[in-house]
Amino acid sequence: MAEADGKSTVLNGKGSTGTNRDGEEEEDTDSMDGSGLYSLTEDGERESEGGRRERAKDKDGGKRAARKRNRPDTNHSTSSDEDDDEDEEEEQKDDEDDDEAMEAWLGAELSDLRGPVWRAVPSLRYREIGRNSHQFVRRVCGARGLVQRLELQGRLERHTGCVNTLHFNPSGTRLASGSDDLRVVIWDWAVRRAELEFDSGHKSNVFQAKFLPHSGDSTLAMCARDGQIRVAELSATQRCKNTKRVAQHKGAAHKLALEPDSPCSFLSAGEDAVVFGIDLRLDRPANKLVVVKEGDKKVGLYTIFVNPAKTQHFAVGGRDQYVRIYDQRKINENDNNGVLKKFCPSHLVSSESKTNITCLVYSHDGTELLASYNDEDIYLFDSNHSDGADYRRRYKGHRNNATVKGVNFYGPCSEFVVSGSDCGHIYLWDKYSARIVQFMEGDRGGVVNCLEPHPHLPGMATSGLDHDIKLWAPTAETPTGLKGLKEVMKKNKRERDEDSVRHGDQYDTQLLWFLMRHMRNRRPPRARREGADADTDESWSSPDSSDEEEGGPDHVQCMSS
């Protein structure tokens, strides 16, 4: 596993031990020395040339020059060696101030890590005798000790554009991916082989491709920048029979929301602020459920998710700071614009910054809601709280600015929070303490967007600006040392603060990003490859839909939102 350069952070936590029936102590393998209780205090380790000291010199060069100009130039002045010592002392003091500021920012909303909930030796012993064996896999998947041993297992390489979506089928045996190359690939990920590849039928970047539950992996729902919602019918002989358009948004459609028990119905959300309910059993599958508004102003949407425990409820987020929850049974747009309740971090309610929600997800039991904010932090809400309730926890350290970035829970009981970052790393936080417990380099291109935990095994798939898919599993011999985390977090925070000062230049940043991605992805016209028997634009769209499409194949999701 590649790691960023920089000093290791000091790990202050302690592992614990258990006692067996013979009175002998057993090592607790779910915990480790440190357990992610990171500190930004130095551990006597010197940073190499070009590291922190050089950055401090650049940062404080003006201060030192001013100090030298103010020193008297006489025979009795301090010697040059003493001047250098004074400069170094000033640099050290400034560096310590930076560390203290970072410690204060990070530590403001952290809690202590809880004790381990899984211990390897007793668990294996009980499994051998058949005691609680049905709980073994679930407890393993949620063990912090295994999360801290995640490392890169391999790559799936087939796409010719950045990979925007990943989704495991319910059994976890297949993985679907979609890309800027307009192709969808179905992988047998265990042997790293593409079983099926077909043209999505979309005219612009594929943003999501999801297996519908209880469909025998034969139905795949897709959405894209062209605003189309399409459905692919797959055969048992590893062919795509056809793809059909079932709805059309007036703008990009970034996300779909599956209903956990339904093989024929799902929701879509678009930048036109519309939420469609789609039922494939109907002659006209698309039904406009709601147009999301704040007052009289439409709110373009980036994300949508159905509550797995209360499937009538769904949450949306997009181009403002509010998480909105609706109940499909009683949406009345004349009453509070149809909203059941709204959540927002209290300090963002009246914020002048243009904060967006790029992704939100419910926990496994629907009691919690996780939202990632553009160039802000990740916030956890209690979905059962009343309208207007503040967040419960906050997760810091990453950077979410350059792309429409995802966030997810990890673990069978949503024990961890996982997100990508503009710095190219993957972050995993312990959900309860909000402390970082894993930190991995996940994308050479610089941005990790998609994170898809396996539904039954301890591992996950990720993707970003690179054209491949990365597979992760807990096979490292030793737990992570979080090497380089300190410097990366400092860099992310510094860049975020700098951008917040000049956020008025956001349009220029978006234009520059688009041009860079456009140049990177320029390619000759894509030759049609085999894999689909037929693709059709036959439309089942509702009367409210539109054939208006924004952009073409060169438009990318990898723009700032």
Side-chain angles (χ1 to χ4, degrees):
M1 176 177 62
E3 294 176 310
D5 292 336
K7 293 184 291 295
S8 299
T9 55
V10 177
L11 304 176
N12 295 326
K14 299 295 181 183
S16 59
T17 58
T19 304
N20 62 22
R21 285 173 295 182
D22 298 326
E24 299 173 351
E25 286 191 339
E26 298 171 335
E27 182 181 359
D28 175 6
T29 56
D30 183 35
S31 62
M32 56 173 275
D33 285 343
S35 297
L37 288 175
Y38 54 84
S39 168
L40 297 182
T41 307
E42 296 300 333
D43 192 21
E45 184 180 353
R46 292 289 184 183
E47 188 172 3
S48 61
E49 184 177 358
R52 183 186 63 171
R53 178 166 294 178
E54 291 302 318
R55 285 188 291 274
K57 287 183 179 180
D58 292 340
K59 178 180 177 181
D60 298 323
K63 295 180 181 179
R64 296 197 305 274
R67 288 196 297 269
K68 290 180 180 180
R69 286 195 299 269
N70 290 333
R71 291 182 186 126
D73 188 11
T74 67
N75 293 332
H76 301 289
S77 64
T78 307
S79 66
S80 59
D81 290 340
E82 292 174 342
D83 291 345
D84 291 340
D85 291 342
E86 184 178 339
D87 287 342
E88 290 186 5
E89 290 176 1
E90 291 289 344
E91 292 168 21
Q92 184 177 359
K93 184 178 183 302
D94 291 334
D95 212 30
E96 290 173 355
D97 290 343
D98 286 345
D99 285 347
E100 289 176 1
M102 178 64 72
E103 286 275 12
W105 178 70
L106 278 173
E109 299 179 62
L110 297 181
S111 303
D112 292 336
L113 275 171
R114 301 187 308 169
V117 296
W118 178 78
R119 288 168 40 225
V121 174
S123 183
L124 287 169
R125 180 181 297 153
Y126 292 152
R127 186 189 187 196
E128 288 178 352
I129 62 176
R131 180 177 173 184
N132 296 329
S133 58
H134 62 288
Q135 292 291 332
F136 180 82
V137 174
R138 288 179 59 85
R139 290 174 177 171
V140 167
C141 291
R144 188 169 68 236
L146 294 191
V147 170
Q148 292 170 326
R149 287 170 170 82
L150 285 171
E151 65 177 355
L152 183 64
Q153 294 297 298
R155 295 178 172 86
L156 305 178
E157 298 178 340
R158 188 80 172 190
H159 289 290
T160 59
C162 63
V163 182
N164 302 318
T165 177
L166 300 171
H167 188 247
F168 284 106
N169 65 347
S171 64
T173 59
R174 299 293 180 267
L175 177 68
S177 62
S179 168
D180 287 355
D181 61 11
L182 313 186
R183 311 285 289 181
V184 172
V185 180
I186 308 299
W187 302 88
D188 183 342
W189 61 270
V191 296
R192 303 178 195 174
R193 182 181 69 240
E195 288 200 334
L196 170 63
E197 180 180 1
F198 62 93
D199 192 310
S200 65
H202 288 287
K203 296 178 173 62
S204 191
N205 317 51
V206 178
F207 284 167
Q208 276 212 312
K210 287 179 172 286
F211 292 100
L212 293 188
H214 306 297
S215 68
D217 301 337
S218 64
T219 308
L220 201 71
M222 304 172 291
C223 64
R225 181 172 288 280
D226 59 14
Q228 295 185 41
I229 309 301
R230 302 184 71 88
V231 171
E233 297 180 19
L234 311 180
S235 72
T237 57
Q238 299 179 3
R239 297 187 65 84
C240 175
K241 297 178 181 178
N242 59 65
T243 69
K244 292 184 178 182
R245 184 177 63 184
V246 297
Q248 177 73 56
H249 288 274
K250 298 179 181 178
H254 290 271
K255 290 288 193 296
L256 303 171
L258 304 182
E259 297 185 5
D261 298 322
S262 175
C264 51
S265 59
F266 58 95
L267 308 180
S268 71
E271 290 188 16
D272 56 0
V274 173
V275 174
F276 281 124
I278 297 169
D279 189 336
L280 301 180
R281 296 168 295 188
L282 304 178
D283 292 336
R284 287 188 172 274
N287 171 43
K288 186 168 69 174
L289 295 180
V290 68
V291 178
V292 177
K293 296 180 180 179
E294 181 63 24
D296 295 328
K297 182 180 178 182
K298 292 183 179 180
V299 179
L301 300 178
Y302 293 132
T303 181
I304 183 170
F305 210 94
V306 170
N307 187 325
K310 302 176 182 177
T311 56
Q312 304 88 357
H313 291 186
F314 65 91
V316 297
R319 289 181 177 166
D320 71 0
Q321 64 270 48
Y322 292 104
V323 172
R324 293 173 174 84
I325 297 177
Y326 295 85
D327 187 333
Q328 293 188 55
R329 299 166 299 181
K330 47 185 179 182
I331 296 178
N332 180 3
E333 295 191 26
N334 296 320
D335 181 12
N336 195 28
N337 286 323
V339 178
L340 180 65
K341 48 186 161 182
K342 294 194 302 186
F343 298 134
C344 179
S346 56
H347 63 282
L348 295 180
V349 172
S350 59
S351 173
E352 295 181 359
S353 62
K354 297 180 180 179
T355 306
N356 301 326
I357 298 173
T358 62
C359 186
L360 56 77
V361 291
Y362 275 101
S363 61
H364 70 291
D365 58 2
T367 59
E368 296 171 319
L369 194 55
L370 197 62
S372 181
Y373 282 77
N374 180 61
D375 225 10
E376 240 280 347
D377 297 321
I378 298 169
Y379 295 90
L380 182 73
F381 300 93
D382 187 329
S383 62
N384 294 322
H385 278 176
S386 59
D387 182 35
D390 205 357
Y391 66 92
R392 291 177 57 195
R393 288 181 181 84
R394 181 177 185 175
Y395 307 95
K396 308 175 184 178
H398 75 309
R399 182 99 197 274
N400 177 8
N401 179 56
T403 60
V404 180
K405 199 166 281 79
V407 69
N408 216 332
F409 287 101
Y410 181 90
C413 296
S414 306
E415 293 93 341
F416 304 93
V417 173
V418 58
S419 175
S421 174
D422 292 349
C423 61
H425 290 85
I426 300 165
Y427 292 75
L428 283 110
W429 294 264
D430 174 72
K431 184 181 72 174
Y432 301 98
S433 67
R435 294 182 181 273
I436 296 172
V437 295
Q438 182 57 280
F439 168 75
M440 307 175 291
E441 185 175 339
D443 196 90
R444 294 186 300 270
V447 179
V448 179
N449 290 327
C450 302
L451 309 107
E452 178 73 1
H454 192 277
H456 309 298
L457 298 175
M460 63 179 173
T462 65
S463 66
L465 296 193
D466 291 344
H467 297 175
D468 60 11
I469 299 157
K470 297 178 178 64
L471 302 174
W472 307 84
T475 57
E477 292 185 3
T478 58
T480 178
L482 301 177
K483 183 179 180 182
L485 176 62
K486 168 186 173 179
E487 291 303 323
V488 173
M489 287 194 301
K490 287 176 65 175
K491 181 175 182 289
N492 288 340
K493 182 66 164 62
R494 182 171 61 250
E495 291 179 352
R496 190 172 105 179
D497 291 344
E498 291 171 352
D499 282 352
S500 67
V501 172
R502 58 173 186 266
H503 74 276
D505 298 330
Q506 183 180 15
Y507 175 78
D508 293 335
T509 303
Q510 289 184 350
L511 180 60
L512 176 61
W513 184 263
F514 170 74
L515 291 175
M516 291 172 62
R517 293 293 302 135
H518 177 76
M519 293 174 65
R520 176 179 174 179
N521 286 330
R522 288 191 66 180
R523 56 187 184 273
R526 177 173 47 81
R528 188 180 183 87
R529 288 171 281 185
E530 69 277 3
D533 292 338
D535 291 312
T536 175
D537 277 333
E538 177 184 343
S539 176
W540 292 334
S541 303
S542 73
D544 298 311
S545 65
S546 167
D547 288 335
E548 295 179 24
E549 296 168 357
E550 292 189 353
D554 288 324
H555 285 253
V556 292
Q557 179 170 13
C558 306
M559 281 179 62
S560 171
S561 57

mmCIF file of all heavy atoms in Angstrom, residues 326-356:
data_model
loop_
_atom_site.group_PDB
_atom_site.id
_atom_site.type_symbol
_atom_site.label_atom_id
_atom_site.label_comp_id
_atom_site.label_asym_id
_atom_site.label_seq_id
_atom_site.Cartn_x
_atom_site.Cartn_y
_atom_site.Cartn_z
ATOM 1 N N TYR A 326 -38.498 13.393 3.058
ATOM 2 C CA TYR A 326 -39.879 13.375 2.576
ATOM 3 C C TYR A 326 -40.507 12.023 2.899
ATOM 4 O O TYR A 326 -39.813 11.010 3.023
ATOM 5 C CB TYR A 326 -39.925 13.588 1.056
ATOM 6 C CG TYR A 326 -39.441 14.940 0.592
ATOM 7 C CD1 TYR A 326 -38.088 15.165 0.375
ATOM 8 C CD2 TYR A 326 -40.341 15.979 0.346
ATOM 9 C CE1 TYR A 326 -37.638 16.395 -0.059
ATOM 10 C CE2 TYR A 326 -39.891 17.214 -0.099
ATOM 11 C CZ TYR A 326 -38.540 17.418 -0.305
ATOM 12 O OH TYR A 326 -38.092 18.638 -0.743
ATOM 13 N N ASP A 327 -41.836 12.023 2.987
ATOM 14 C CA ASP A 327 -42.613 10.806 3.124
ATOM 15 C C ASP A 327 -43.456 10.673 1.859
ATOM 16 O O ASP A 327 -44.326 11.513 1.593
ATOM 17 C CB ASP A 327 -43.509 10.881 4.365
ATOM 18 C CG ASP A 327 -44.233 9.569 4.660
ATOM 19 O OD1 ASP A 327 -44.471 8.798 3.705
ATOM 20 O OD2 ASP A 327 -44.555 9.323 5.832
ATOM 21 N N GLN A 328 -43.196 9.622 1.059
ATOM 22 C CA GLN A 328 -43.876 9.481 -0.225
ATOM 23 C C GLN A 328 -45.398 9.445 -0.082
ATOM 24 O O GLN A 328 -46.118 9.815 -1.018
ATOM 25 C CB GLN A 328 -43.432 8.185 -0.917
ATOM 26 C CG GLN A 328 -41.981 8.172 -1.349
ATOM 27 C CD GLN A 328 -41.663 6.945 -2.187
ATOM 28 O OE1 GLN A 328 -42.317 6.695 -3.189
ATOM 29 N NE2 GLN A 328 -40.650 6.186 -1.767
ATOM 30 N N ARG A 329 -45.896 9.052 1.069
ATOM 31 C CA ARG A 329 -47.346 8.898 1.250
ATOM 32 C C ARG A 329 -48.058 10.224 1.433
ATOM 33 O O ARG A 329 -49.283 10.303 1.242
ATOM 34 C CB ARG A 329 -47.626 8.005 2.461
ATOM 35 C CG ARG A 329 -47.058 6.599 2.349
ATOM 36 C CD ARG A 329 -47.081 5.893 3.687
ATOM 37 N NE ARG A 329 -46.279 6.593 4.690
ATOM 38 C CZ ARG A 329 -46.107 6.173 5.938
ATOM 39 N NH1 ARG A 329 -46.693 5.047 6.323
ATOM 40 N NH2 ARG A 329 -45.357 6.864 6.781
ATOM 41 N N LYS A 330 -47.325 11.267 1.818
ATOM 42 C CA LYS A 330 -47.993 12.539 2.132
ATOM 43 C C LYS A 330 -47.118 13.730 1.749
ATOM 44 O O LYS A 330 -46.757 14.550 2.598
ATOM 45 C CB LYS A 330 -48.357 12.596 3.614
ATOM 46 C CG LYS A 330 -47.243 12.173 4.568
ATOM 47 C CD LYS A 330 -47.743 12.143 6.010
ATOM 48 C CE LYS A 330 -46.651 11.702 6.975
ATOM 49 N NZ LYS A 330 -47.118 11.629 8.364
ATOM 50 N N ILE A 331 -46.808 13.816 0.474
ATOM 51 C CA ILE A 331 -46.080 14.975 -0.035
ATOM 52 C C ILE A 331 -47.101 15.999 -0.529
ATOM 53 O O ILE A 331 -47.787 15.779 -1.530
ATOM 54 C CB ILE A 331 -45.110 14.584 -1.167
ATOM 55 C CG1 ILE A 331 -44.031 13.642 -0.643
ATOM 56 C CG2 ILE A 331 -44.481 15.832 -1.774
ATOM 57 C CD1 ILE A 331 -43.052 13.168 -1.697
ATOM 58 N N ASN A 332 -47.199 17.110 0.173
ATOM 59 C CA ASN A 332 -48.076 18.218 -0.216
ATOM 60 C C ASN A 332 -47.201 19.452 -0.399
ATOM 61 O O ASN A 332 -46.743 20.048 0.575
ATOM 62 C CB ASN A 332 -49.135 18.456 0.854
ATOM 63 C CG ASN A 332 -50.067 19.610 0.500
ATOM 64 O OD1 ASN A 332 -49.958 20.205 -0.582
ATOM 65 N ND2 ASN A 332 -50.978 19.932 1.395
ATOM 66 N N GLU A 333 -46.950 19.814 -1.647
ATOM 67 C CA GLU A 333 -46.025 20.918 -1.919
ATOM 68 C C GLU A 333 -46.567 22.261 -1.445
ATOM 69 O O GLU A 333 -45.839 23.252 -1.411
ATOM 70 C CB GLU A 333 -45.690 20.967 -3.412
ATOM 71 C CG GLU A 333 -44.922 19.736 -3.876
ATOM 72 C CD GLU A 333 -44.354 19.883 -5.283
ATOM 73 O OE1 GLU A 333 -44.124 21.035 -5.697
ATOM 74 O OE2 GLU A 333 -44.138 18.861 -5.947
ATOM 75 N N ASN A 334 -47.827 22.321 -1.085
ATOM 76 C CA ASN A 334 -48.398 23.559 -0.531
ATOM 77 C C ASN A 334 -48.177 23.655 0.975
ATOM 78 O O ASN A 334 -48.469 24.683 1.584
ATOM 79 C CB ASN A 334 -49.894 23.635 -0.842
ATOM 80 C CG ASN A 334 -50.159 23.734 -2.335
ATOM 81 O OD1 ASN A 334 -49.438 24.426 -3.052
ATOM 82 N ND2 ASN A 334 -51.195 23.029 -2.797
ATOM 83 N N ASP A 335 -47.684 22.597 1.569
ATOM 84 C CA ASP A 335 -47.416 22.567 3.009
ATOM 85 C C ASP A 335 -45.918 22.354 3.225
ATOM 86 O O ASP A 335 -45.421 21.232 3.113
ATOM 87 C CB ASP A 335 -48.224 21.449 3.666
ATOM 88 C CG ASP A 335 -48.005 21.382 5.180
ATOM 89 O OD1 ASP A 335 -47.407 22.337 5.733
ATOM 90 O OD2 ASP A 335 -48.405 20.372 5.801
ATOM 91 N N ASN A 336 -45.196 23.428 3.513
ATOM 92 C CA ASN A 336 -43.749 23.365 3.744
ATOM 93 C C ASN A 336 -43.018 22.735 2.562
ATOM 94 O O ASN A 336 -42.024 22.029 2.731
ATOM 95 C CB ASN A 336 -43.456 22.569 5.025
ATOM 96 C CG ASN A 336 -42.040 22.774 5.524
ATOM 97 O OD1 ASN A 336 -41.426 23.829 5.297
ATOM 98 N ND2 ASN A 336 -41.498 21.773 6.202
ATOM 99 N N ASN A 337 -43.510 22.988 1.348
ATOM 100 C CA ASN A 337 -42.928 22.432 0.125
ATOM 101 C C ASN A 337 -42.856 20.907 0.152
ATOM 102 O O ASN A 337 -42.044 20.310 -0.544
ATOM 103 C CB ASN A 337 -41.530 23.010 -0.136
ATOM 104 C CG ASN A 337 -41.571 24.448 -0.636
ATOM 105 O OD1 ASN A 337 -42.460 24.810 -1.402
ATOM 106 N ND2 ASN A 337 -40.624 25.255 -0.194
ATOM 107 N N GLY A 338 -43.735 20.307 0.945
ATOM 108 C CA GLY A 338 -43.795 18.849 0.996
ATOM 109 C C GLY A 338 -42.774 18.200 1.906
ATOM 110 O O GLY A 338 -42.743 16.965 2.025
ATOM 111 N N VAL A 339 -41.930 18.991 2.573
ATOM 112 C CA VAL A 339 -40.846 18.446 3.391
ATOM 113 C C VAL A 339 -41.383 17.930 4.722
ATOM 114 O O VAL A 339 -42.154 18.607 5.407
ATOM 115 C CB VAL A 339 -39.762 19.517 3.644
ATOM 116 C CG1 VAL A 339 -38.654 18.967 4.533
ATOM 117 C CG2 VAL A 339 -39.183 19.989 2.316
ATOM 118 N N LEU A 340 -40.947 16.721 5.097
ATOM 119 C CA LEU A 340 -41.305 16.173 6.404
ATOM 120 C C LEU A 340 -40.467 16.830 7.492
ATOM 121 O O LEU A 340 -40.989 17.252 8.524
ATOM 122 C CB LEU A 340 -41.100 14.659 6.401
ATOM 123 C CG LEU A 340 -41.432 13.909 7.691
ATOM 124 C CD1 LEU A 340 -42.926 14.016 7.982
ATOM 125 C CD2 LEU A 340 -41.019 12.443 7.581
ATOM 126 N N LYS A 341 -39.140 16.903 7.267
ATOM 127 C CA LYS A 341 -38.244 17.619 8.183
ATOM 128 C C LYS A 341 -36.923 17.904 7.489
ATOM 129 O O LYS A 341 -36.564 17.251 6.505
ATOM 130 C CB LYS A 341 -38.013 16.846 9.478
ATOM 131 C CG LYS A 341 -37.662 15.384 9.335
ATOM 132 C CD LYS A 341 -37.622 14.735 10.721
ATOM 133 C CE LYS A 341 -37.725 13.239 10.668
ATOM 134 N NZ LYS A 341 -37.744 12.621 12.006
ATOM 135 N N LYS A 342 -36.212 18.894 8.028
ATOM 136 C CA LYS A 342 -34.929 19.320 7.483
ATOM 137 C C LYS A 342 -33.879 19.321 8.582
ATOM 138 O O LYS A 342 -34.175 19.633 9.735
ATOM 139 C CB LYS A 342 -35.016 20.744 6.892
ATOM 140 C CG LYS A 342 -35.884 20.883 5.681
ATOM 141 C CD LYS A 342 -35.660 22.210 4.967
ATOM 142 C CE LYS A 342 -35.912 23.406 5.840
ATOM 143 N NZ LYS A 342 -35.832 24.680 5.084
ATOM 144 N N PHE A 343 -32.648 18.976 8.191
ATOM 145 C CA PHE A 343 -31.509 19.043 9.104
ATOM 146 C C PHE A 343 -30.410 19.889 8.469
ATOM 147 O O PHE A 343 -30.240 19.899 7.251
ATOM 148 C CB PHE A 343 -30.949 17.647 9.395
ATOM 149 C CG PHE A 343 -31.918 16.715 10.065
ATOM 150 C CD1 PHE A 343 -32.065 15.414 9.613
ATOM 151 C CD2 PHE A 343 -32.673 17.133 11.139
ATOM 152 C CE1 PHE A 343 -32.939 14.538 10.228
ATOM 153 C CE2 PHE A 343 -33.562 16.277 11.768
ATOM 154 C CZ PHE A 343 -33.701 14.976 11.315
ATOM 155 N N CYS A 344 -29.656 20.564 9.338
ATOM 156 C CA CYS A 344 -28.502 21.331 8.877
ATOM 157 C C CYS A 344 -27.615 21.644 10.083
ATOM 158 O O CYS A 344 -28.127 21.976 11.154
ATOM 159 C CB CYS A 344 -28.945 22.642 8.215
ATOM 160 S SG CYS A 344 -27.570 23.683 7.649
ATOM 161 N N PRO A 345 -26.291 21.536 9.946
ATOM 162 C CA PRO A 345 -25.417 21.985 11.032
ATOM 163 C C PRO A 345 -25.727 23.437 11.384
ATOM 164 O O PRO A 345 -25.859 24.287 10.491
ATOM 165 C CB PRO A 345 -24.009 21.826 10.437
ATOM 166 C CG PRO A 345 -24.162 20.774 9.386
ATOM 167 C CD PRO A 345 -25.515 20.982 8.806
ATOM 168 N N SER A 346 -25.847 23.716 12.656
ATOM 169 C CA SER A 346 -26.324 25.040 13.084
ATOM 170 C C SER A 346 -25.448 26.176 12.562
ATOM 171 O O SER A 346 -25.950 27.247 12.214
ATOM 172 C CB SER A 346 -26.395 25.099 14.612
ATOM 173 O OG SER A 346 -25.126 24.776 15.184
ATOM 174 N N HIS A 347 -24.127 25.946 12.455
ATOM 175 C CA HIS A 347 -23.248 27.015 12.017
ATOM 176 C C HIS A 347 -23.318 27.246 10.507
ATOM 177 O O HIS A 347 -22.763 28.230 10.011
ATOM 178 C CB HIS A 347 -21.798 26.717 12.417
ATOM 179 C CG HIS A 347 -21.233 25.491 11.784
ATOM 180 N ND1 HIS A 347 -21.531 24.220 12.228
ATOM 181 C CD2 HIS A 347 -20.389 25.322 10.734
ATOM 182 C CE1 HIS A 347 -20.903 23.324 11.487
ATOM 183 N NE2 HIS A 347 -20.208 23.964 10.565
ATOM 184 N N LEU A 348 -24.008 26.362 9.781
ATOM 185 C CA LEU A 348 -24.148 26.545 8.336
ATOM 186 C C LEU A 348 -25.503 27.121 7.936
ATOM 187 O O LEU A 348 -25.702 27.469 6.771
ATOM 188 C CB LEU A 348 -23.953 25.207 7.614
ATOM 189 C CG LEU A 348 -22.569 24.556 7.707
ATOM 190 C CD1 LEU A 348 -22.545 23.247 6.933
ATOM 191 C CD2 LEU A 348 -21.486 25.499 7.185
ATOM 192 N N VAL A 349 -26.424 27.245 8.891
ATOM 193 C CA VAL A 349 -27.762 27.728 8.567
ATOM 194 C C VAL A 349 -27.711 29.131 7.975
ATOM 195 O O VAL A 349 -28.341 29.427 6.961
ATOM 196 C CB VAL A 349 -28.665 27.712 9.816
ATOM 197 C CG1 VAL A 349 -29.988 28.406 9.522
ATOM 198 C CG2 VAL A 349 -28.914 26.282 10.265
ATOM 199 N N SER A 350 -26.931 30.000 8.592
ATOM 200 C CA SER A 350 -26.836 31.385 8.117
ATOM 201 C C SER A 350 -25.492 31.678 7.478
ATOM 202 O O SER A 350 -25.100 32.835 7.340
ATOM 203 C CB SER A 350 -27.076 32.347 9.287
ATOM 204 O OG SER A 350 -26.127 32.122 10.323
ATOM 205 N N SER A 351 -24.783 30.627 7.085
ATOM 206 C CA SER A 351 -23.453 30.822 6.502
ATOM 207 C C SER A 351 -23.552 31.503 5.144
ATOM 208 O O SER A 351 -24.451 31.220 4.339
ATOM 209 C CB SER A 351 -22.746 29.473 6.353
ATOM 210 O OG SER A 351 -21.536 29.619 5.658
ATOM 211 N N GLU A 352 -22.612 32.413 4.881
ATOM 212 C CA GLU A 352 -22.585 33.099 3.592
ATOM 213 C C GLU A 352 -21.924 32.258 2.513
ATOM 214 O O GLU A 352 -22.076 32.532 1.326
ATOM 215 C CB GLU A 352 -21.838 34.429 3.720
ATOM 216 C CG GLU A 352 -22.527 35.433 4.636
ATOM 217 C CD GLU A 352 -21.762 36.735 4.716
ATOM 218 O OE1 GLU A 352 -20.697 36.833 4.072
ATOM 219 O OE2 GLU A 352 -22.230 37.654 5.403
ATOM 220 N N SER A 353 -21.172 31.239 2.901
ATOM 221 C CA SER A 353 -20.524 30.375 1.912
ATOM 222 C C SER A 353 -21.568 29.516 1.218
ATOM 223 O O SER A 353 -22.567 29.107 1.811
ATOM 224 C CB SER A 353 -19.481 29.486 2.587
ATOM 225 O OG SER A 353 -20.104 28.640 3.537
ATOM 226 N N LYS A 354 -21.346 29.249 -0.054
ATOM 227 C CA LYS A 354 -22.281 28.458 -0.839
ATOM 228 C C LYS A 354 -21.983 26.971 -0.617
ATOM 229 O O LYS A 354 -21.245 26.346 -1.372
ATOM 230 C CB LYS A 354 -22.174 28.827 -2.309
ATOM 231 C CG LYS A 354 -22.559 30.269 -2.602
ATOM 232 C CD LYS A 354 -22.441 30.596 -4.077
ATOM 233 C CE LYS A 354 -22.839 32.045 -4.359
ATOM 234 N NZ LYS A 354 -22.712 32.378 -5.801
ATOM 235 N N THR A 355 -22.557 26.430 0.443
ATOM 236 C CA THR A 355 -22.291 25.047 0.819
ATOM 237 C C THR A 355 -23.280 24.110 0.140
ATOM 238 O O THR A 355 -24.480 24.365 0.141
ATOM 239 C CB THR A 355 -22.393 24.890 2.343
ATOM 240 O OG1 THR A 355 -21.535 25.827 2.978
ATOM 241 C CG2 THR A 355 -21.990 23.494 2.761
ATOM 242 N N ASN A 356 -22.772 23.034 -0.445
ATOM 243 C CA ASN A 356 -23.599 22.023 -1.087
ATOM 244 C C ASN A 356 -23.443 20.689 -0.370
ATOM 245 O O ASN A 356 -22.429 20.429 0.261
ATOM 246 C CB ASN A 356 -23.195 21.831 -2.553
ATOM 247 C CG ASN A 356 -23.305 23.106 -3.359
ATOM 248 O OD1 ASN A 356 -24.188 23.928 -3.124
ATOM 249 N ND2 ASN A 356 -22.409 23.269 -4.314
#
